Amino acid sequence: MFRKLHLQMTIFCALITSLILTGFSCICLSISEQGAEQNSYIVFQNNISSMLSHLESQTTISHQWLLQMKASSNLDIFLYDNGQPLHFNTMEHASALDNVLEQAIQTARESHGLNLNADSSQTILTQHTEFSMKGSNGKDYYVSAALLPRSGGVLSAVFLHCLDVEHAAFFRQRMLFFSIDLAAILLLSVFSWFFTGRIIRPLRESRKRQMQFIASASHELRSPLTVILSSLSAMKIAKKEEAEAFSHVIQSEGERMSRLIGDMLTLAGADNGSWSIQPAPVELDTLLLQSYEKFETVAAQKGMQLRIELPDTALPPYVCDGERIAQVLSILLDNAMSYTPQGGHILLSLSKEGNRWMLRVQDNGPGIPQEARAQIFERFYRAEKSRKDKEHFGLGLCIAQEIVRLHRGRLYLDDTPGGGATFVVSLPANLTPGTYSQCIR
């Protein structure tokens, strides 16, 4: 499913970015070509103006000058003295241009009103016109037709500028844009593949965790259900005394299922953002004392020593959800008592380090192996030793971590000097009720 989604998102992203890139490239290319065409036409007009001024001022026309202008301006020049072609025309031009020349003369006469065959009596001032046309040979041309009065009659001139050079430049520019766009599209496709992969990765991991959560929850629920069903079947044929024992088993397993479902609903609320906290001023030392008193008797019954360390000076009220923080302490203390052997020591402490309050639950149990530390906050994770403990499902630390996160704090594991595990709750000391409104998802 995710592989198909990854491919579809890659194609979509690459297609959209490619269309945008191609569109901008076409716009830029069009603007560039229009500017180049305008510049080329202006240069052509300037060259024609310069040549006409020179022809008006000269009584004789230099063959060398004509060759120079032809080469420098890329022009085909045709001159007629009183309607008769000059010798330069036949020497320097191929007969293939004859049809194009006739087409230019006809276009100048019919479309621009300039008759190059007019007699000298009709020509008093210099007349000229410039235009573009597609020649009969399929090529594009800039054309200038001119009539220049002279003392001995009239000089007719036709200048043809073939646009093959400009078109070749346009073609090279288009190929360059095409190559750049093609390379950019390939790079964008590769980028889209990795980019969409990174976008999908959290979804894939979330899906994986969800499937693992469902599988673990199903496994945890199957065990008490199996016991309940077996006990119900046994009650049908059991004696009264035995039936009462089976009834206690069913009640115990039902309570166990209720705790598991409660924990699962708590985590579901954290996942969908429906959790809320009620911040209010709380005395942290009082909060720790209440947790200590709650677990002191339990620790004594298990043969453990529970101690508490608090600052000697009076503490200012701290804005937090007291019930939620007490829940975190209960989870950590219950977890410590589950792993600490009989005769062990558990320490509950509070201190201020810099601008943070540090709440610690420290035990001298077996500790947590280094390779397992990355997993202890995962759902349904339990050390192998506690797999048989029906009171724990591996959800407590996940719940505690979510509560601490809502308080913009951190819950992490540290080593206990001499062996054991220390869970540290680090809370910012400067939170206000207004700050919490930004914390809740």
Side-chain angles (χ1 to χ4, degrees):
M1 180 183 73
F2 285 104
R3 182 174 297 178
K4 183 179 180 181
L5 177 63
H6 188 189
L7 181 61
Q8 290 175 342
M9 289 183 64
T10 299
I11 294 174
F12 178 76
C13 291
L15 181 62
I16 294 299
T17 52
S18 299
L19 288 175
I20 294 173
L21 175 64
T22 302
F24 274 106
S25 296
C26 290
I27 293 172
C28 293
L29 188 62
S30 176
I31 294 173
S32 175
E33 290 186 359
Q34 289 178 4
E37 287 177 353
Q38 291 176 357
N39 290 336
S40 176
Y41 191 66
I42 291 172
V43 170
F44 170 75
Q45 289 178 318
N46 292 336
N47 289 335
I48 295 301
S49 297
S50 176
M51 293 179 67
L52 291 180
S53 297
H54 180 83
L55 290 174
E56 286 178 330
S57 63
Q58 299 295 319
T59 56
T60 59
I61 301 174
S62 168
H63 186 275
Q64 187 67 28
W65 178 80
L66 289 173
L67 288 176
Q68 182 180 352
M69 295 306 298
K70 172 182 171 65
S72 62
S73 303
N74 191 24
L75 293 171
D76 290 301
I77 304 172
F78 300 89
L79 300 176
Y80 298 87
D81 189 5
N82 294 319
Q84 297 299 317
L86 296 183
H87 183 58
F88 176 81
N89 296 1
T90 58
M91 289 178 59
E92 300 297 333
H93 303 289
S95 59
L97 288 176
D98 291 345
N99 293 334
V100 177
L101 176 62
E102 290 299 326
Q103 182 183 355
I105 294 173
Q106 181 181 356
T107 302
R109 181 177 64 251
E110 296 177 356
S111 300
H112 300 275
L114 182 60
N115 185 7
L116 296 180
N117 296 322
D119 57 41
S120 59
S121 62
Q122 298 175 331
T123 306
I124 301 175
L125 299 175
T126 297
Q127 303 176 45
H128 66 93
T129 184
E130 286 76 41
F131 55 91
S132 59
M133 72 173 194
K134 180 174 282 295
S136 56
N137 58 359
K139 297 182 179 182
D140 293 320
Y141 290 89
Y142 289 151
V143 181
S144 178
L147 286 174
L148 293 89
R150 301 174 71 86
S151 57
V154 63
L155 179 67
S156 303
V158 178
F159 304 94
L160 299 177
H161 174 69
C162 183
L163 297 178
D164 282 355
V165 175
E166 285 82 354
H167 288 173
F170 291 162
F171 178 77
R172 289 193 299 271
Q173 182 173 266
R174 290 172 183 175
M175 289 299 100
L176 178 61
F177 269 71
F178 175 77
S179 301
I180 293 174
D181 283 354
L182 184 61
I185 289 172
L186 291 175
L187 290 175
L188 284 171
S189 299
V190 174
F191 172 78
S192 298
W193 175 262
F194 288 103
F195 180 70
T196 53
R198 293 195 64 175
I199 292 176
I200 293 175
R201 188 181 304 161
L203 298 177
R204 182 184 286 112
E205 293 175 352
S206 177
R207 173 75 172 179
K208 182 180 178 181
R209 288 195 300 268
Q210 184 182 26
M211 297 304 295
Q212 291 175 344
F213 181 84
I214 293 173
S216 300
S218 301
H219 175 76
E220 294 291 346
L221 287 170
R222 187 186 301 116
S223 178
L225 279 173
T226 301
V227 174
I228 290 173
L229 293 174
S230 299
S231 299
L232 286 172
S233 298
M235 283 180 68
K236 296 178 181 179
I237 59 175
K239 296 179 181 180
K240 184 177 180 180
E241 296 80 6
E242 295 175 343
E244 186 176 353
F246 285 125
S247 176
H248 287 304
V249 171
I250 292 172
Q251 181 178 357
S252 175
E253 293 299 322
E255 292 174 352
R256 180 187 174 202
M257 287 181 62
S258 177
R259 289 195 301 272
L260 173 59
I261 293 171
D263 288 345
M264 291 170 61
L265 290 175
T266 299
L267 288 174
D271 289 339
N272 60 32
S274 62
W275 254 15
S276 63
I277 56 177
Q278 305 298 326
V282 174
E283 295 179 353
L284 286 179
D285 50 359
T286 302
L287 196 65
L288 264 72
L289 276 171
Q290 292 173 348
S291 298
Y292 169 77
E293 292 171 355
K294 176 182 176 182
F295 282 89
E296 184 181 18
T297 304
V298 178
Q301 291 173 352
K302 292 187 175 184
M304 304 174 190
Q305 182 182 359
L306 176 62
R307 297 185 298 111
I308 185 170
E309 289 184 0
L310 299 174
D312 296 331
T313 57
L315 303 180
Y318 179 69
V319 178
C320 67
D321 189 329
E323 291 186 5
R324 293 292 190 184
I325 297 299
Q327 184 180 0
V328 172
L329 294 174
S330 296
I331 291 171
L332 297 180
L333 286 169
D334 186 56
N335 187 72
M337 291 185 181
S338 299
Y339 284 90
T340 303
Q342 187 174 6
H345 300 273
I346 299 173
L347 175 64
L348 176 63
S349 64
L350 171 67
S351 61
K352 188 175 184 182
E353 300 178 6
N355 61 346
R356 304 189 74 85
W357 288 107
M358 311 299 286
L359 290 71
R360 289 181 173 85
V361 176
Q362 177 180 310
D363 65 64
N364 65 343
I368 298 176
Q370 195 67 33
E371 61 273 11
R373 295 193 175 193
Q375 302 172 284
I376 59 173
F377 293 105
E378 294 181 3
R379 298 176 184 185
F380 290 106
Y381 176 80
R382 291 178 295 182
E384 194 66 30
K385 180 180 178 180
S386 66
R387 285 292 180 183
K388 298 179 182 179
D389 184 0
K390 294 185 177 182
E391 298 299 321
H392 297 86
F393 305 101
L395 298 177
L397 289 178
C398 303
I399 296 173
Q401 189 178 52
E402 289 293 333
I403 294 173
V404 173
R405 185 188 59 78
L406 283 177
H407 286 79
R408 286 196 171 179
R410 287 182 59 218
L411 172 60
Y412 60 93
L413 174 65
D414 202 354
D415 289 321
T416 300
T422 300
F423 282 92
V424 183
V425 178
S426 175
L427 297 173
N430 53 356
L431 287 184
T432 63
T435 308
Y436 280 104
S437 63
Q438 305 171 7
C439 300
I440 304 172
R441 293 183 298 176

